[in-house]
Every structure is written in structure tokens, then in C-alpha cells.
């Protein structure tokens, strides 16, 4: 997660240390929302996300998304259903990168998917749906296309 520290302030007693400075966490959506109207579903408080780990989000209609906060502060959302195993487990997958492409590996059969595009990196015919993400007032929202 990217953190920014504000500059130390000078007080009557001297200069505050960096430990006394407020720390602000910066998070950024990993996927720019596609054009068109979206239904924005609140997922969770951004402070509940752990860098490098995923969480499952229940969406309308019993669908699930896997939400990931990467150590660089980028947030991604892909479908939680592993297309190879047929199980909703991708939120428990291992995050990483392949040649600079942010990825998640299925915890069951270890297939690797791009977090940006949803494409299976070892199978050109398989891909996960991806979702737009935004953070407003500390709450992560997942964007679903309107019908």
C-alpha cells in the first residue's frame, strides 16, 4: 500500500519527528471504469483490505467478486468463480505479477489470471469478468454494468 507522510511542522518547542506526522493511505482503482452507467455496490471499508490479500464480495443476484488491494495501492475486482474448478475461491488466490502484469493464481489448480483484464495467462480462450472499482469516503465500491 502506498503511504504518504505530511511534512513535519515546526512548533514552539522545535520540529516534530516523522513519527508524529499524520499518515494518509493512498489507494487507486486498478481498472478505469468502462463507459456507461454503473450500479455501484458498496463492498467494504478500504481500511479492512490487507495488501496482497483478497476478499470475497457478494453482489446482487448472488454473484461474487474477488477484491484485491496490491502493495502498490492499486485495487482490482474480478469474478470470484474459478472457471476451471467451478468454485468461488479466487479471493483466496495468491497475488503476484508476471512481467509487470498484476495477477492472481487460483488456490485450487494454480491457473494465473490478469487482474487488469481477467485473461488467463496460459489459456487464450478463458477469461474472468472484471469490475470497475472506486473508493468514496473510505468505502470501496464495485461497479456493475446496468442492463
Amino acid at each position: 500500500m502506498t503511504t504518504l507522510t505530511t511534512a513535519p511542522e515546526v512548533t514552539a518547542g522545535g520540529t516534530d519527528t516523522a513519527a508524529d506526522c499524520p499518515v494518509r493511505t493512498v489507494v487507486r482503482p486498478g481498472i478505469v471504469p468502462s463507459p456507461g452507467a454503473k450500479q455501484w455496490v458498496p463492498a467494504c471499508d478500504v481500511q479492512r483490505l490487507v495488501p496482497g490479500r483478497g476478499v470475497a464480495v457478494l453482489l446482487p443476484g448472488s454473484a461474487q467478486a474477488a477484491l484485491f488491494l496490491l502493495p502498490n495501492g492499486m485495487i482490482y475486482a474480478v469474478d470470484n468463480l474459478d472457471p476451471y474448478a467451478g468454485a468461488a475461491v479466487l479471493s483466496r488466490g495468491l497475488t503476484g505479477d508476471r512481467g509487470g502484469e498484476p495477477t492472481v493464481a487460483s488456490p485450487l489448480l494454480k491457473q494465473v489470471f490478469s487482474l487488469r483484464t481477467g485473461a488467463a495467462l496460459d489459456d487464450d480462450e478463458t477469461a474472468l469478468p472484471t469490475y470497475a472499482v472506486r473508493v468514496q469516503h473510505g468505502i470501496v465500491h464495485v461497479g456493475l454494468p446496468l442492463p
Side-chain angles (χ1 to χ4, degrees):
M1 182 181 309
T2 305
T3 57
L4 299 177
T5 307
T6 59
E9 295 179 16
V10 177
T11 62
T15 304
D16 292 337
T17 64
D20 296 330
C21 295
V23 175
R24 185 181 74 192
T25 302
V26 177
V27 294
R28 302 175 303 274
I31 300 172
V32 176
S34 59
K38 302 253 183 293
Q39 174 187 2
W40 292 98
V41 178
C44 66
D45 188 311
V46 72
Q47 297 301 323
R48 291 191 167 270
L49 298 178
V50 177
R53 291 271 179 94
V55 296
V57 177
L58 188 59
L59 301 173
S62 299
Q64 292 183 27
L67 192 62
F68 296 95
L69 171 63
L70 299 187
N72 65 2
M74 302 298 277
I75 300 177
Y76 295 92
V78 297
D79 199 82
N80 196 34
L81 187 66
D82 180 337
Y84 295 99
V89 296
L90 288 176
S91 62
R92 296 182 179 239
L94 301 171
T95 59
D97 74 75
R98 189 182 283 181
E101 181 73 19
T103 61
V104 62
S106 170
L108 296 180
L109 301 174
K110 308 300 185 247
Q111 281 84 10
V112 180
F113 301 91
S114 165
L115 287 172
R116 284 188 321 100
T117 65
L121 299 185
D122 299 319
D123 179 359
D124 293 338
E125 297 181 12
T126 304
L128 300 170
T130 59
Y131 302 101
V133 176
R134 72 179 182 190
V135 179
Q136 285 188 321
H137 308 291
I139 304 295
V140 180
H141 293 81
V142 177
L144 304 175
L146 292 176

